[in-house]
Amino acid sequence: MWCLRLGILLPGPLFHAAPRHGLHKLASVQSASTLPKRKFQGLLYPFSVLDPYLDRSVDRTNFQLFQPCLEDIVKAEQLFLPSRSNQIDYLSSAVRMDHVPALTQPEVCFIGRSNVGKSSLIRALFSLSPEVEVRVSKTPGHTKKMNFFKVGKAFSIVDMPGYGHRAPTDFVDMVEPYLETRSNLVRTFLLVDGSIGIQKADFIALEMCEEMRRPYVIVVTKIDKCGHGALLTNLLSLQDVVRDRTSSCFPQPILVSSHHFTGIYLLRCFIAHVAGKLELSNTTESQAKHNLCNHVN
């Protein structure tokens, strides 16, 4: 695993682009690499922070299926870096399928309960492009439409309306047709609040994703909002749900904190890979590529 060799890999010629002015201090892997080694490793691989607190008898395999090397993470980040040839911007919004933009490039969407931190997460993903407007509100249910963002010619990202409290009255009529018929959709990211665990409304969304029989991934947000013990309890309960009640969900939850940028670089890499824009060069688990490809197809 490359992180065990962190001291000799960083910093080096791996980073090509100079830092841009006006960016968040942790927007790029290059800027984060100046942090102490253990903290940097925790930002890249959030589970590494929790691992020491987990009983030895617990199987860790499904927490470490997707473990790309540093080189792959940096390659993926380049797709999120705007340039003249790689325009990154808000594209359009829609409330019905006949209003959605006609796109052919791979697409991923983010769906979650109101106030789960969905828009904050998308803004963190786009932190290398601060000019991209992703509206974030402290009021639950702020997102009322399907908001489409283009990442150059590589792929598009969709911020879906939140479900639960203050959800749009036509939420089901808006979201289900999209998930069922969007031909270029390669992955749905279902967000669950890690500080409180999976909720009743999340189970309904999970069942909807299962009914569509299209691959999806659970992203655990707000992992900085509770202690390690509470977070691990919620994660293990979530793992039981994934094991017992899903067939289309990737086994590994992706852990993120939009505030601290924990897991953001890993999520960028995952998106780039499932969109077909990044071939993984190395993983810590020999079956990782095989397992992931099984959920892509």
Side-chain angles (χ1 to χ4, degrees):
M1 184 172 174
W2 78 265
C3 63
L4 298 179
R5 309 190 305 273
L6 197 60
I8 63 174
L9 279 179
L10 295 173
L14 193 61
F15 304 111
H16 304 292
R20 298 173 61 209
H21 295 294
L23 298 182
H24 187 282
K25 62 181 181 180
L26 295 177
S28 69
V29 177
Q30 180 179 14
S31 58
S33 69
T34 62
L35 297 171
K37 181 171 65 175
R38 183 173 295 181
K39 187 170 184 179
F40 180 48
Q41 177 180 325
L43 291 181
L44 292 177
Y45 303 112
F47 182 72
S48 67
V49 178
L50 299 174
D51 195 3
Y53 299 91
L54 195 58
D55 191 273
R56 291 183 179 181
S57 63
V58 177
D59 185 3
R60 290 154 166 77
T61 302
N62 285 347
F63 287 108
Q64 300 172 311
L65 290 174
F66 186 75
Q67 291 283 85
C69 65
L70 178 61
E71 290 87 346
D72 288 340
I73 292 175
V74 172
K75 288 178 183 177
E77 184 175 278
Q78 298 305 304
L79 295 172
F80 289 85
L81 192 63
S83 66
R84 289 185 178 180
S85 60
N86 191 50
Q87 299 293 319
I88 300 175
D89 206 353
Y90 162 79
L91 187 60
S92 66
S93 297
V95 294
R96 297 195 307 269
M97 281 303 294
D98 54 352
H99 291 169
V100 303
L103 301 172
T104 57
Q105 65 261 43
E107 190 164 273
V108 300
C109 74
F110 288 80
I111 185 173
R113 186 174 51 83
S114 298
N115 204 36
V116 75
K118 179 167 47 62
S119 296
S120 295
L121 173 58
I122 294 176
R123 185 169 65 174
L125 289 173
F126 285 138
S127 57
L128 292 167
S129 304
E131 63 277 5
V132 176
E133 184 179 1
V134 182
R135 296 183 179 180
V136 178
S137 173
K138 294 183 179 179
T139 304
H142 176 76
T143 304
K144 300 294 185 182
K145 301 178 180 180
M146 298 181 284
N147 298 317
F148 292 78
F149 301 86
K150 64 175 182 177
V151 183
K153 298 179 180 179
F155 49 84
S156 51
I157 292 178
V158 187
D159 183 5
M160 304 294 283
Y163 54 80
H165 180 62
R166 298 191 66 182
T169 55
D170 55 350
F171 173 84
V172 174
D173 294 335
M174 189 188 314
V175 174
E176 281 196 352
Y178 170 85
L179 295 178
E180 186 174 10
T181 65
R182 189 66 165 172
S183 60
N184 61 327
L185 178 65
V186 296
R187 194 64 91 253
T188 296
F189 292 95
L190 174 60
L191 276 57
V192 172
D193 188 333
S195 66
I196 60 176
I198 190 166
Q199 302 292 295
K200 181 178 180 180
D202 298 321
F203 278 106
I204 296 174
L206 185 143
E207 291 171 359
M208 178 177 65
C209 289
E210 284 293 312
E211 289 176 2
M212 301 301 170
R213 301 191 65 82
R214 303 184 71 166
Y216 66 100
V217 185
I218 292 179
V219 176
V220 179
T221 64
K222 302 185 179 182
I223 63 171
D224 58 310
K225 301 298 184 183
C226 64
H228 295 325
L231 179 58
L232 280 171
T233 298
N234 293 335
L235 284 177
L236 292 176
S237 296
L238 180 60
Q239 284 291 75
D240 290 341
V241 171
V242 172
R243 182 192 64 232
D244 298 337
R245 301 181 59 168
T246 74
S247 60
S248 301
C249 183
F250 185 59
Q252 176 182 335
I254 298 180
L255 315 182
V256 299
S257 164
S258 301
H259 180 69
H260 294 293
F261 272 71
T262 308
I264 298 300
Y265 319 110
L266 186 68
L267 181 54
R268 285 175 180 160
C269 192
F270 192 97
I271 293 172
H273 182 60
V274 298
K277 305 304 177 182
L278 175 68
E279 177 67 25
L280 296 178
S281 58
N282 184 38
T283 58
T284 59
E285 297 290 334
S286 60
Q287 293 296 315
K289 290 183 184 180
H290 175 72
N291 292 338
L292 187 54
C293 287
N294 284 344
H295 285 81
V296 172
N297 298 325

